[in-house]
Amino acid sequence: MNIDCRSEIFNAVYFETKIILNKKIAPSVFEIKIYAPDFFSNLFCLKAGQFINFYVGDKAMLLPRPISICEINRESFEIRVVYRVAGLGTEIMSKLKNNDKLFVMGPLGNGFCYLKNKRVWIVGGGIGTPPLLQLAKEINNSCVTEIFLGFRGGTDNPPILTDDFKKICGNVFVATEDGSVGTKGYVSDVFADRKKPDHVYACGPMPMLSAVTEWAKSNGVSVSVSVEERMACGYGACVGCAVRIKDGNTFAYKKVCRDGPVFNGEHIFF
């Protein structure tokens, strides 16, 4: 069944898809690959930083689970997402099998703007690293790229996707808070003595985004951040994911799902 609900409100499609792969890659972290040819219509411009609403099909879980796109395979019409089990909805998702069907809506949100002929840093933290993988694929051949990934470390929160990033870019630096992998400390601790970039892309927890943005501002570097916020609807109707954005001498509330999730870091009140 293919139900098309495109509208003037948002440019997205709702349809039933098939799971190609669903496997555990770290404690409480899973990856799903779905076959989603409807997302590859000429009406859409799939970009890193956008997300998909997953409807798990349980009567007790009417609201979708928004999960960022990790990888896009335009040849096989496949999309990969990586998610952490954080509640009942994602727990149900983690138990889905190959060839199971579920409904999805997307692509949603505004993704990253791709730069060319620039020196860029890609900075990810924890479960905020997956949305940056497709970004790295898109810009690595046109920009001088360095990638910085930060994790808590240990058996419960080990680094994820580092091998995937290393296949794309030779300049990948990892930090863990406990020092179990890479540099001990926060991901921003790895910035020291590196040549400044022209632009920073970042996704991760708010404290990390705040620290990265402050570093960028103090060094005269522009920064794009993908904000992680809880969403109910995922397309701007419920206003449950609003963040404060600078608007001249005052501020305005913007919806992460509709106006973001990617924003100019300097405009956010952290």
Side-chain angles (χ1 to χ4, degrees), residues 42-70:
N42 290 334
L43 293 176
F44 304 117
C45 181
L46 280 169
K47 297 184 68 176
Q50 291 183 302
F51 64 93
I52 298 168
N53 274 350
F54 285 80
Y55 295 82
V56 298
D58 188 278
K59 291 182 180 179
M61 303 298 298
L62 297 179
L63 295 176
R65 293 299 173 267
I67 303 176
S68 295
I69 295 170
C70 177

Side-chain angles (χ1 to χ4, degrees), residues 78-134:
E78 295 176 10
I79 290 179
R80 178 191 186 193
V81 302
V82 174
Y83 64 98
R84 173 175 286 139
V85 175
L88 179 58
T90 44
E91 182 180 352
I92 293 172
M93 283 184 62
S94 71
K95 296 175 181 178
L96 296 173
K97 308 295 183 184
N98 291 3
N99 295 315
D100 281 352
K101 303 291 182 64
L102 81 165
F103 282 93
V104 295
M105 178 185 288
L108 295 165
N110 294 298
F112 293 102
C113 292
Y114 303 149
L115 299 177
K116 293 183 178 181
N117 304 317
K118 300 291 184 180
R119 185 178 187 87
V120 301
W121 286 1
I122 293 175
V123 184
I127 202 64
T129 58
L132 300 170
L133 186 61
Q134 182 64 32

